[in-house]
Amino acid sequence: MKRRQFLSGIAVGGAALTTGLTIGLQGQNPPTCPPAPVNGIPFRRGQDTRPVIQRKAVSSLSSSQISQLRLAFARLRSLPSTDNRRWVIQADMHALYCQACNHDRVQSVHHSWIFFPWHRAFIYYFERILGSLVGDINHFRLPYWDWENHRFQPEIYAIPANSSNSLYDANRYAPINQGANLPSTDGSAKRIALLYGITDFATFGGTASRGGACESNPHDAIHDDIGLHTSPFHDMGHLGYAARDPIFYAHHCNIDKIWSNWNALSATRPSPAYRNPTDPAFLSERWNFYDENRRTVSMSAADVLNYPSYLRYTYPAPTTVRRSSSTEESQAPEQSQAPIVNMYEGRLKYSGSISGPVLDLSYRVKTSLIEAVRNQDSVAIVLREVPMPKSATGVFDIVSVRGFSVKHLGVIAVVADAMQMGNMPKTVVLDATEAVDDLVNESNPARITVVPRNGNGGSFTLHAEEMDLRVISRR
């Protein structure tokens, strides 16, 4: 469908699908949520014997698969108030586990190393429920929205823009629901390629006490781009409500695919590069869910790591397009190869009353970065323990400023939640490739500045407890 047809087919301001359903029938609004499930039946690896089915991009679904997806969500929405599989109870599972509820006693599944495995487990049981509701649990798999390649919302989630479409949600940023592209800096293919140059899980996926760079951008940034941009930030822009938007599941399947592709790079690099944590504290994390039979079940982080064998789905094999240095013409896609990564020391330096730090680097590091850019390598700045103001919500652009030269480095994003968990310190990976000359200038180095997008409140000065630089070579 052409963009003009897409825009003309949308009735802006249509009612959300849950409008008119009482809270008593469908669940409760955070921060007062239903009780968390407890004492679940443990998942046994090998118990799922369904065929292994590949999850598809939304853009590649057939008409029959689109109909089945819509039917599955419609039937989920129509389940009675006594059914623990019902729509808002499933959505509230996300609220329960992100500490958006005032009575939960579970660890937040955001801002730590359990971000990836919890969402994989949640999607697994949600997918099984949908499959059972359309009588095809063996073959039904949720699709992913590969927003790094398809930059506007898939049409099936927006057209028709009313309650006849079980995938529609009126609580989205209006331009997105009307076909606008995502911001070019958020979750782009270039951004994902940079993340694939981060070889350690602690930076990419987080630690026991700190979230990873993938969670801030693309995950948080895409959430904020889709959700309402002003308070109350529903649905995708607020962790307590995000899973009430059907596009949440396509978004998180893509996040899961990115984790899968990152792991796949381990085949071409020695351990521990691109490997998941082996710490027993990570592997033993366990959570409770409801399954397609209305039973309370439980799954651990260790259970989800070999997802093709135990969860019975795959993704298309990751590929990369290499360019000829002589002709600059694209060659045929090849199986992805992990890049070569070299690390360098550095720190942020502050001086005077001018807002924003500069890079404090040795002469050797500066010359190495300049040489890397000449060789068409990428340069990443890795910042850990980046504090966020309590008032911050939404997306903040990070730029280098040197005179009239302003170059984009990356973003920090905060998704709203009832307990302000999003304002915990961040891990941020910036792309400094195009700004290296400004950042390492001897007489007047560029300042690294945080610029709020509209409606996000005031700016703040960027700080970080730890910093390093990485040269990423794909030659």
Side-chain angles (χ1 to χ4, degrees):
M1 180 180 292
K2 295 181 179 179
R3 180 60 53 86
R4 183 179 300 174
Q5 294 172 310
F6 178 35
L7 293 174
S8 65
I10 296 177
V12 179
L17 285 172
T18 54
T19 299
L21 298 174
T22 66
I23 296 301
L25 288 176
Q26 286 295 306
Q28 295 167 294
N29 286 330
T32 303
C33 302
V38 295
N39 301 322
I41 303 167
F43 178 83
R44 290 182 296 100
R45 297 173 212 172
Q47 72 178 42
D48 189 341
T49 59
R50 298 175 302 160
V52 178
I53 303 293
Q54 187 178 103
R55 284 180 177 165
K56 291 186 173 183
V58 175
S59 58
S60 68
L61 294 178
S62 66
S63 58
S64 62
Q65 289 170 329
I66 291 171
S67 297
Q68 186 186 58
L69 182 67
R70 283 178 161 158
L71 178 62
F73 274 88
R75 288 182 174 174
L76 183 69
R77 290 178 181 275
S78 67
L79 290 175
S81 61
T82 56
D83 196 318
N84 62 20
R85 300 171 299 168
R86 68 188 185 275
W87 170 240
V88 176
I89 290 296
Q90 287 298 310
D92 281 350
M93 292 293 292
H94 188 255
L96 285 165
Y97 279 104
C98 68
Q99 294 190 337
C101 304
N102 62 10
H103 65 267
D104 79 77
R105 296 291 183 271
V106 296
Q107 179 183 359
S108 173
V109 297
H110 293 270
H111 320 300
S112 80
W113 60 11
I114 62 175
F115 166 75
F116 281 125
W118 183 89
H119 284 86
R120 180 173 283 177
F122 174 54
I123 294 292
Y124 170 75
Y125 283 113
F126 185 79
E127 184 177 74
R128 289 182 65 94
I129 290 170
L130 291 179
S132 70
L133 291 175
V134 293
D136 193 15
I137 192 171
N138 281 343
H139 300 97
F140 179 90
R141 299 294 184 271
L142 280 164
Y144 58 89
W145 173 20
D146 54 340
W147 22 252
E148 69 272 27
N149 300 312
H150 295 86
R151 300 295 293 168
F152 58 89
Q153 177 178 242
E155 295 165 9
I156 65 172
Y157 291 87
I159 300 175
N162 55 52
S163 60
S164 69
N165 181 1
S166 63
L167 303 179
Y168 177 70
D169 187 345
N171 286 330
R172 295 178 190 144
Y173 183 50
I176 292 295
N177 251 353
Q178 295 169 30
N181 282 356
L182 296 167
S184 61
T185 57
D186 302 353
S188 64
K190 183 179 180 182
R191 170 65 185 178
I192 306 308
L194 187 75
L195 287 178
Y196 289 160
I198 303 302
T199 62
D200 62 299
F201 189 92
T203 300
F204 176 79
T207 67
S209 59
R210 182 177 66 218
C214 188
E215 184 174 359
S216 180
N217 181 17
H219 171 264
D220 289 357
I222 301 296
H223 265 277
D224 285 332
D225 291 339
I226 299 171
L228 301 181
H229 286 195
T230 56
S231 182
F233 305 107
H234 297 171
D235 281 328
M236 281 283 282
H238 193 294
L239 293 179
Y241 295 83
R244 298 188 184 190
D245 186 338
I247 209 167
F248 169 94
Y249 303 94
H251 171 52
H252 267 281
C253 283
N254 201 44
I255 292 292
D256 189 66
K257 176 178 67 72
I258 289 170
W259 178 27
S260 170
N261 289 351
W262 185 85
N263 281 150
L265 295 171
S266 64
T268 59
R269 288 291 178 266
S271 184
Y274 301 104
R275 270 72 170 184
N276 298 314
T278 57
D279 190 320
F282 169 79
L283 298 173
S284 62
E285 288 281 0
R286 180 173 290 276
W287 314 281
N288 292 290
F289 304 95
Y290 299 117
D291 73 359
E292 71 278 5
N293 297 312
R294 309 182 196 181
R295 301 175 305 174
T296 303
V297 291
S298 72
M299 182 172 279
S300 71
D303 292 333
V304 308
L305 299 184
N306 186 352
Y307 64 89
S309 294
Y310 301 136
L311 309 187
R312 314 304 286 175
Y313 68 89
T314 61
Y315 294 107
T319 59
T320 185
V321 176
R322 300 186 179 276
R323 291 184 178 272
S324 166
S325 59
S326 59
T327 65
E328 293 299 315
E329 293 179 356
S330 296
Q331 299 176 350
E334 302 173 356
Q335 183 70 32
S336 288
Q337 297 290 314
I340 298 170
V341 181
N342 291 305
M343 298 179 60
Y344 297 91
E345 294 182 352
R347 67 186 184 94
L348 299 178
K349 180 179 179 181
Y350 302 82
S351 61
S353 60
I354 301 175
S355 176
V358 300
L359 293 183
D360 186 13
L361 309 173
S362 69
Y363 177 78
R364 181 186 67 85
V365 173
K366 289 181 179 180
T367 55
S368 296
L369 299 184
I370 292 171
E371 183 66 21
V373 173
R374 289 174 181 164
N375 291 333
Q376 298 185 328
D377 296 333
S378 299
V379 177
I381 301 173
V382 176
L383 304 173
R384 299 182 190 84
E385 298 290 339
V386 175
M388 299 295 296
K390 286 191 176 297
S391 60
T393 301
V395 183
F396 296 78
D397 292 292
I398 305 174
V399 298
S400 72
V401 180
R402 179 174 175 266
F404 293 105
S405 177
V406 179
K407 296 177 180 176
H408 197 272
L409 304 176
V411 304
I412 300 178
V414 178
V415 183
D417 70 273
M419 299 181 68
Q420 294 187 316
M421 295 290 292
N423 300 102
M424 295 175 64
K426 304 281 188 181
T427 298
V428 179
V429 172
L430 305 176
D431 187 349
T433 309
E434 296 179 5
V436 162
D437 285 345
D438 288 342
L439 291 165
V440 304
N441 184 275
E442 287 290 338
S443 60
N444 182 29
R447 298 271 173 175
I448 301 177
T449 304
V450 179
V451 181
R453 293 188 188 170
N454 292 338
N456 292 357
S459 184
F460 57 93
T461 301
L462 186 69
H463 290 273
E465 291 294 320
E466 302 174 11
M467 188 194 98
D468 65 67
L469 298 103
R470 306 189 188 189
V471 171
I472 303 167
S473 174
R474 292 178 173 83
R475 289 172 292 152

